[in-house]
């Protein structure tokens, strides 16, 4: 079963899969990240029952985001015939800003 687990992890009587854990990992895919081979990274290719560690970005995840969205390059969503894509023209850099907020949230806890 899916649900929201305590920050210390899912209990034996509660959900086995933490939705915040899954959502953070899947949002990484949405932003263009692939699976990582670094165990413990949010984008690691496996998840374990009752785990809550993927709720927050690890250094490997942050490095991947900085490679996809270089801090010195602003990004913008560009409309194309087959859908939308991220481009490197002048824009707001909203996706990068959101991820940096998530990374900062982990450091404050």
């Amino acid at each position: 079963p899916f649900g929201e687990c305590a920050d210390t992890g899912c209990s034996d009587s509660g959900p086995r899969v933490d939705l915040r854990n899954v959502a953070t990992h899947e949002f990484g895919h949405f932003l263009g990240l692939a699976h990582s081979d670094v165990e413990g990274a949010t984008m690691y290719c496996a998840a374990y029952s009752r785990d809550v560690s993927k709720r927050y970005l690890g250094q490997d995840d942050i490095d991947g985001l900085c490679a996809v969205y270089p801090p010195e390059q602003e990004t913008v969503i560009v409309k194309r015939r087959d859908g939308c894509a991220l481009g490197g023209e002048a824009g707001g850099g909203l996706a990068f800003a959101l991820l940096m907020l998530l990374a900062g949230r982990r450091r404050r806890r």
Side-chain angles (χ1 to χ4, degrees), residues 17-35:
V17 179
D18 182 56
L19 282 176
R20 288 174 54 195
N21 222 41
V22 173
T24 305
H25 175 89
E26 296 305 325
F27 190 65
H29 287 307
F30 174 77
L31 293 172
L33 295 178
H35 285 144

Side-chain angles (χ1 to χ4, degrees), residues 4 8 20-21 24-26 29 31 34 45-46 52 62-63 65 76 81 90 94 97 99 103 106 108:
E4 185 173 356
T8 56
R20 288 174 54 195
N21 222 41
T24 305
H25 175 89
E26 296 305 325
H29 287 307
L31 293 172
C45 59
V52 294
I62 293 169
D63 291 345
L65 289 168
V76 65
R81 282 186 308 175
L94 179 61
L99 285 169
R106 178 180 187 193
R108 284 192 291 256

Side-chain angles (χ1 to χ4, degrees), residues 40-91:
T42 299
M43 295 309 299
Y44 186 62
C45 59
Y48 306 101
S49 291
R50 298 180 171 81
D51 181 29
V52 294
S53 67
K54 292 183 187 305
R55 289 178 174 183
Y56 311 104
L57 302 177
Q59 190 60 52
D60 184 62
D61 307 304
I62 293 169
D63 291 345
L65 289 168
C66 288
V68 174
Y69 304 102
E72 67 278 356
Q73 176 184 340
E74 293 185 35
T75 58
V76 65
I77 296 177
V78 179
K79 195 155 181 114
R80 300 182 343 188
R81 282 186 308 175
D82 60 340
C84 295
L86 289 171
E89 292 91 37

